[in-house]
Each structure stands twice: as C-alpha cells, then as structure tokens.
Amino acid sequence: MPRIMAAAAALAGSASRILRKIIKGSARLWPAVTAAPGCWSCSQGAKRYLLRDNAIGLQQFQEKKLATRRLIYEDKDSYFRNIKEKMEKKELILRNELKILLHLCQTSDDVEIAKSAIYRYHSENRTMAFGDYKFGPIFMRLCYELGLEVPAVELIKDETLYGFFSDGQSFALLMDMLFKKGYYEDAFEVLEEMEKQHVKYIKDTFLLAFAICYKLNSPVSWKKFTKILEENQFQLDTLPRITYCFAVAFALKQNDLEKAQYIYSLIMNPDSRLCTNLKILMQIKSGALEETLKTLEAVLEENTPELVKKTQISEQVLATVREELEENPALLVRLEDIYDQLKASGKVTKLTLDEMLCKIPLYKEYYKKLSTERTVSLRTFKPLQSVLKTE
C-alpha cells in the first residue's frame, strides 16, 4: 500500500521523481528502528555472562564447600565462634583455618566475619604472600555465589590488602560479576585498580576490558582501550573471537574504521552471525556500497542445512545500510529486493548488534532455567541447600 500511494502521488512528476518517491515510499515497509544510531542500543542495554563456567569455577567451589562441611568435626557456628575468639585474643589465623572459614560462609553475615579474618591474616603474612596460596579467587567466588559485589570491591581496592589479590583471576571474577549486573563504571574502576596494583593481564582480562569499554563508550574508556591495544600487541593474536568482536564494535562506535578493520583482520575464523554483521557495517561505513550488497547476497545464497543455525542480519544493520544508500536509487532498489528475500528465508533478526554481542549463551540460559525451577532435591525430595543450587 505505501508503494502504491507514493507512486500515485508522483504520477504528475518526471520519471526520475517517480522512481525516487517509490523508493522513499518503500521505506515504510521496513521495521521501525528505535535504538540509538549506529546499530547499538543504550549502554545499559543487554547484559552478558562474559566468562565461561570453567573460568568462574563456581561449581567446583560449591563442591569444595560441601566437602569442607563434611570434613570438619564441629558445626559451622562453633567454628565461626572459635575464629572470632582467636581474633579477639589477637591469636594467629592459620592458612588452613582461613581456607575452611571461606568455604563455610553461606550468608552476608558470615562474609563480614571472613573479611575480618582476611585483614588479620594478611597483616600477619604480608611478607610471606609471594608464591603462597591464593585466597583472592576463593573470596571472589564466594562473593560471586552470594551476589556480594560491594564487599568484593571494597576489599580489592583497600591499600592495606595490596598483595592479597595479586592474581588476574580475582580481578576477572569481580569484573565479570559487575558487568553481568550492569555496573560498568565500577567494573572500569576495578580494571584501573588492577593496573594500579601491577597485576598482569590474563586472556579473560582482555575480553572483560574490551566489553566494559564498549559499554561505557566514553572518551576515557576509548583512551583506555587504545592504550591496551598499544601495550599488548603481541598478545592480541590468540584471543577468543568474542573478544575481537567487542573491540571491533567499540572501534565502530567511535568511528575509527581503520582500527576496526585492523582488529577484524585478527579474527582467525570470522564465520559467524556476529562477524558477518560487523563486516557489513565496516563495508558500508567505508563507502564500499557494491561490496556490501554482495555480502548480503552471499548470505542470501547460503544453503544452510535445516539443523544448522542460519546466518542472520540485524534489522538495524540493514537500516544503517539503507541510510547510506539513500542517494543511490538503483542500489536502494536492489537492497529492497535483497531485504525481502532475506526476510522470507528467515535470515533477518530483530536482535540489535548490542544484543548479539551481549546475548547470554544457550548453555547459560539452560542452567539458569534449571536453577530457577529446581528447588527440591531429586534424591531426598527436601529443599536444596544454597551451596548445591546451580549457578
């Protein structure tokens, strides 16, 4: 109907004017785009579990907690009372005592006692921390399990505890927890704190750093992102694909096409929906109009088996392409035809690029559903202990 109305209104004009009005009328057939320009919604939009389960180690931590409760001869409350008495008498807190204490914590009140023990232990063993047992990841997994990001940030930034969180894993766990909850500013401060304490980057750090900077999308985060790229060039060729995708997306957000193209070239296997959408954005922003349409046609021509996931193009990415083709009627008509065919074959998605980047992986959604539905033991039919619940 929009095409017919537009054509009828233009009959009195010249042939070129008729063509332009028909093309502009066809725009009404495209879905409305409500997100911010550039194919990304606001920075507080979709959230993602950045680290995989094996990197977080929550299941193993909960199993260790269960084993610890079985091994100690006294009940939990008695053990906590004994630790509090030792601290009141200014007696030494031994390494194994602190380890057991952290694995017995089940509430925020328990964590407050554990915090006092950590301060005491570190003050007594500060000079012996090098090469010793790492308590940082244990405490961060405990906070992760209980959703206690405030004490986690408090302790990791406390100068009196410098050296206690001396590993990249502790910082990664905290940044992931903050990112998942949408606390991007706090996560950025933890990243800065990591550098302040001269803690070395691990692979997970790059993913977290790029994702945090992408979400903030500020001059400060862009400066930090650029600095990370410049100082870690030799480590940038072995990162996971999603890490590069966050970096490419951020560079595009900042209109640095050259940097986006360079980072994209580092991706060993760009055969994914996200990479295809990023490629199309880079092509259209570079003025390669013909190449952009050829990429879309290649997606259209893909013969994907029924059980294999199809490559899908974001409606917002297609809307961006359309905006760039406004002044080229012939290519715009060709794009309209491609769009109709993509739509008919199920190769167009309503997901924005931001939602693609931050989509919770399917296995995470599955376990999240299990943890929501299952509150009773399948073996005893009694309520599950908090330590046994799935993440």
Side-chain angles (χ1 to χ4, degrees):
M1 182 64 71
R3 290 176 185 265
I4 297 172
M5 291 176 63
L11 284 175
S14 64
S16 61
R17 286 178 57 197
I18 292 173
L19 178 60
R20 285 183 177 277
K21 285 181 181 271
I22 292 173
I23 291 169
K24 288 186 178 179
S26 70
R28 298 172 191 158
L29 298 178
W30 287 62
V33 179
T34 57
C39 302
W40 292 277
S41 54
C42 65
S43 63
Q44 300 298 322
K47 298 179 179 64
R48 177 189 176 89
Y49 294 68
L50 289 177
L51 299 186
R52 288 186 169 274
D53 287 339
N54 59 351
I56 297 172
L58 202 58
Q59 182 179 346
Q60 294 85 343
F61 172 68
Q62 291 173 335
E63 290 171 354
K64 181 68 174 177
K65 287 182 74 172
L66 187 60
T68 301
R69 292 190 65 180
R70 289 172 176 167
L71 288 173
I72 61 171
Y73 295 103
E74 54 193 324
D75 61 70
K76 173 203 152 190
D77 293 336
S78 298
Y79 190 87
F80 272 74
R81 279 197 300 271
N82 291 337
I83 293 296
K84 288 171 72 176
E85 289 175 6
K86 288 192 72 172
M87 288 191 289
E88 288 169 1
K89 295 177 181 178
K90 301 189 183 304
E91 296 179 5
L92 287 174
I93 302 295
L94 303 178
R95 185 178 75 174
N96 202 48
E97 289 176 331
L98 180 58
K99 189 190 303 185
I100 292 173
L101 182 70
L102 290 173
H103 283 98
L104 288 178
C105 288
Q106 290 183 301
T107 67
S108 56
D109 291 336
D110 294 343
V111 174
E112 287 301 312
I113 298 172
K115 281 170 55 181
S116 300
I118 285 172
Y119 278 104
R120 172 64 62 81
Y121 178 86
H122 187 65
S123 65
E124 295 165 348
N125 298 277
R126 186 187 300 270
T127 58
M128 301 172 61
F130 181 77
D132 205 355
Y133 186 83
K134 301 295 183 185
F135 281 104
I138 296 179
F139 180 74
M140 288 303 165
R141 289 187 179 105
L142 174 61
C143 292
Y144 205 114
E145 178 193 34
L146 299 177
L148 301 175
E149 66 278 355
V150 174
V153 173
E154 175 191 337
L155 263 64
I156 210 166
K157 294 173 71 174
D158 193 333
E159 292 185 6
T160 62
L161 285 178
Y162 275 15
F164 188 83
F165 301 99
S166 59
D167 58 289
Q169 188 64 29
S170 295
F171 286 86
L173 288 167
L174 179 52
M175 285 189 283
D176 187 69
M177 184 189 347
L178 294 168
F179 187 95
K180 186 173 72 172
K181 293 189 174 186
Y183 303 147
Y184 307 123
E185 292 282 359
D186 296 306
F188 187 80
E189 289 180 7
V190 172
L191 178 64
E192 295 273 58
E193 185 67 33
M194 181 178 177
E195 295 188 359
K196 181 181 176 182
Q197 296 186 33
H198 305 291
V199 177
K200 291 183 178 179
Y201 275 37
I202 58 177
K203 279 190 178 182
D204 290 335
T205 308
F206 290 101
L207 169 58
L208 290 156
F210 292 168
I212 292 164
C213 290
Y214 161 82
K215 279 292 189 179
L216 289 175
N217 192 30
S218 65
V220 174
S221 66
W222 177 247
K223 183 178 179 181
K224 169 63 70 177
F225 172 78
T226 304
K227 181 184 176 185
I228 294 172
L229 289 179
E230 291 174 351
E231 294 181 353
N232 299 276
Q233 292 185 23
F234 295 108
Q235 299 182 57
L236 295 178
D237 57 350
T238 57
L239 301 177
R241 183 166 59 191
I242 185 61
T243 306
Y244 295 117
C245 288
F246 268 110
V248 172
F250 187 33
L252 287 173
K253 256 187 175 185
Q254 292 288 319
N255 296 314
D256 193 330
L257 182 60
E258 184 179 351
K259 194 176 265 80
Q261 291 172 331
Y262 165 69
I263 298 169
Y264 189 88
S265 70
L266 299 175
I267 302 176
M268 295 295 292
N269 179 19
D271 184 20
S272 73
R273 176 179 65 176
L274 183 52
C275 288
T276 301
N277 279 268
L278 288 170
K279 179 182 178 181
I280 291 168
L281 278 179
M282 287 188 295
Q283 288 176 332
I284 199 65
K285 286 181 178 295
S286 67
L289 307 184
E290 183 66 32
E291 290 301 315
T292 303
L293 293 181
K294 285 182 178 179
T295 301
L296 290 171
E297 288 171 339
V299 172
L300 187 59
E301 293 168 3
E302 284 181 358
N303 292 319
T304 309
E306 188 175 344
L307 297 179
V308 177
K309 197 170 184 179
K310 298 176 182 178
T311 301
Q312 292 180 309
I313 309 301
S314 168
E315 284 182 343
Q316 283 191 314
V317 171
L318 288 165
T320 301
V321 174
R322 187 183 186 285
E323 289 173 8
E324 296 294 330
L325 297 179
E326 284 283 359
E327 302 302 319
N328 195 320
L331 291 182
L332 190 52
V333 170
R334 185 172 155 197
L335 174 64
E336 298 286 354
D337 182 55
I338 294 171
Y339 172 80
D340 290 340
Q341 294 183 64
L342 286 171
K343 188 81 171 176
S345 60
K347 294 185 177 181
V348 176
T349 177
K350 292 184 180 296
L351 289 176
T352 65
L353 196 60
D354 185 70
E355 289 168 338
M356 287 185 192
L357 279 165
C358 298
K359 190 177 186 301
I360 298 174
L362 287 176
Y363 70 94
K364 290 278 192 181
E365 291 178 339
Y366 171 74
Y367 283 115
K368 186 177 179 182
K369 183 178 179 183
L370 279 182
S371 66
T372 302
E373 294 179 350
R374 225 185 116 202
T375 56
V376 178
S377 170
L378 297 178
R379 183 175 62 85
T380 64
F381 299 102
K382 294 180 179 180
L384 287 171
Q385 296 284 343
S386 62
V387 294
L388 293 178
K389 288 183 180 179
T390 312
E391 177 193 2

